Amino acid sequence: MKLPEELQFIANARMVPKTTATRMDGRTCVITGATSGVGYQAARRLAQGGAHIVMVCRNREKAARVQQDLKTIYGTDVDVVLADFTQLANVREAAGSLLANYPRIDVLINNAGVHHTRRTLTGDGNETVFAVNHLASFLLTCLLVRRLIQSAPARIIQVNSQGHRFGGLDLDDLTWERRRYKGLQGYGASKVAQLLTVWELADRLEGTGVTINAMHPGEVRTNIGMNNGLLYRWYQRYLLWWILKDPVISGNAIYYLAAAPEMAQVSGRFFNLTIDEKPAAHALDRPLGKRLWTISEELTGLSTAG
Ligand SMILES: NC(=O)c1ccc[n+]([C@@H]2O[C@H](COP(=O)([O-])OP(=O)(O)OC[C@H]3O[C@@H](n4cnc5c(N)ncnc54)[C@H](OP(=O)(O)O)[C@@H]3O)[C@@H](O)[C@H]2O)c1
């Protein structure tokens, strides 16, 4: 039975993901949130493929452990840049450090992400999930984009989510003052925002040799949401855990998108692991995306920085 288009993602999740044996030797890959889950598995696969990895992480000790692990197992170069994405100033500092130390950036993987069941605000006054999942990746990408263009051919991969299908983005209430905060919608809003900027940036990057794509890394066993209350953690660990998959599949899919020769010219698409898929209609609203771009530039200080 053929599923309606809006439910096609269920069938796609059962398809066998594509893989590539292409190596990444000599390529510099910047990846955020590589200390755990999806990001950790992607960093492992990239290290196995010979890439030089630069991990942008918030926790010094965790990052040092992963760095040591990857160097020991795969013998590749692995560097760490520290940044807490709840603070936009930290993202700017990380970008400054990346620009100062890496004359080439071949791949940027924006993976760091959170899911909160309760509304909190960052020190910058943004809703935390929106700030970490969207604003931080938006700012980092914009600050690095010229270096990526200089390094072309280069690729940007946004680790997004089927959670974008929950919706929740209201440009007039990004801090949820007028609505009751719901975790799934807060998460959905951040992922819709990220997708809208992918289409926008793909257009701006046309002809530069830099591609940008978004992907859903599968429903996998990671630490996401474990910052929430006891009930949530119990639900995730004891009920959901058994139906979730091994995040190795996510790492392999990210590697495919970063390395496969057949992906070199593909840009402005959403992938369910490696399967090209149509996102929810509300995430394809281009006029909304243009408004969001301007607001994101304002919120991250890009419009005043020039
Ligand atoms: N797991 C799934 O089934 C699933 C499904 C769809 C999409 N995703 C997406 O996959 C991505 C990775 O999530 P995951 O499932 O692998 O979760 P995870 O195991 O919790 O990993 C999240 C990563 O993001 C980092 N991070 C969190 N907050 C940060 C902050 N304020 N500043 C800097 N880094 C921060 C974490 O650092 P620490 O190690 O220091 O906490 C960790 O490295 C997210 O974008 C998520 O939305 C996951």
Side-chain angles (χ1 to χ4, degrees):
M1 187 185 72
K2 180 130 174 66
L3 289 166
E5 195 175 46
E6 60 275 15
L7 295 179
Q8 191 56 40
F9 70 96
I10 298 170
N12 288 346
R14 295 195 205 110
M15 291 177 73
V16 179
K18 298 170 194 159
T19 55
T20 184
T22 311
R23 290 198 51 89
M24 299 275 287
D25 301 281
R27 313 220 88 201
T28 301
C29 301
V30 174
I31 176 164
T32 70
T35 45
S36 166
V38 170
Y40 172 67
Q41 292 299 337
R44 273 190 81 114
R45 182 64 188 90
L46 288 161
Q48 189 189 31
H52 170 195
I53 294 162
V54 187
M55 305 164 45
V56 183
C57 300
R58 65 173 165 179
N59 183 311
R60 187 186 297 274
E61 289 74 34
K62 276 172 110 173
R65 276 202 299 275
V66 173
Q67 180 185 35
Q68 197 49 53
D69 258 23
L70 298 184
K71 279 185 172 177
T72 310
I73 302 169
Y74 301 107
T76 45
D77 288 332
V78 183
D79 302 332
V80 173
V81 172
L82 290 173
D84 181 341
F85 283 2
T86 58
Q87 298 173 49
L88 292 171
N90 263 218
V91 180
R92 284 185 174 280
E93 279 165 31
S97 164
L98 291 165
L99 292 173
N101 292 305
Y102 303 99
R104 303 187 52 81
I105 299 177
D106 300 290
V107 180
L108 169 63
I109 302 163
N110 285 301
N111 161 76
V114 286
H115 170 230
H116 289 194
T117 52
R118 286 172 198 267
R119 171 184 181 264
T120 56
L121 296 183
T122 67
D124 299 313
N126 298 302
E127 189 277 312
T128 306
V129 176
F130 186 75
V132 174
N133 296 4
H134 168 58
L135 291 178
S137 68
F138 176 79
L139 179 58
L140 188 66
T141 305
C142 289
L143 293 174
L144 297 183
V145 78
R146 254 185 260 161
R147 182 59 46 87
L148 284 147
I149 293 170
Q150 287 159 4
S151 315
R155 304 183 191 187
I156 303 168
I157 298 165
Q158 308 287 51
V159 179
N160 198 266
S161 173
Q162 295 295 11
H164 82 271
R165 297 183 191 277
F166 298 129
L169 183 68
D170 179 349
L171 297 192
D172 298 318
D173 189 22
L174 290 175
T175 50
W176 296 80
E177 267 147 51
R178 300 188 207 147
R179 297 170 291 163
R180 196 163 76 82
Y181 188 78
K182 294 193 189 101
L184 290 181
Q185 285 205 312
Y187 183 73
S190 71
K191 297 294 185 181
V192 171
Q194 189 185 53
L195 278 184
L196 290 171
T197 56
V198 168
W199 326 137
E200 218 34 53
L201 196 51
D203 282 357
R204 291 168 191 234
L205 287 170
E206 221 180 296
T208 63
V210 181
T211 61
I212 178 164
N213 290 296
M215 64 94 67
H216 167 69
E219 283 77 37
V220 287
R221 280 177 222 125
T222 68
N223 285 329
I224 198 155
M226 289 301 186
N227 51 293
N228 293 308
L230 195 63
L231 190 63
Y232 184 97
R233 295 206 301 275
W234 181 85
Y235 168 73
Q236 173 140 330
R237 208 44 114 202
Y238 294 102
L239 295 184
L240 217 52
W241 207 247
W242 311 108
I243 54 169
L244 296 174
K245 295 181 183 149
D246 188 327
V248 165
I249 60 166
S250 322
N252 289 343
I254 291 171
Y255 188 81
Y256 173 83
L257 300 176
E262 60 271 31
M263 285 298 302
Q265 312 291 329
V266 179
S267 192
R269 310 295 304 172
F270 175 72
F271 291 88
N272 187 342
L273 288 169
T274 62
I275 310 300
D276 196 334
E277 181 173 285
K278 190 172 179 194
H282 57 251
L284 292 167
D285 183 337
R286 297 302 304 271
L288 186 73
K290 289 189 193 312
R291 272 185 67 208
L292 172 75
W293 185 279
T294 307
I295 293 171
S296 302
E297 280 188 324
E298 284 163 10
L299 289 174
T300 54
L302 283 167
S303 47
T304 47

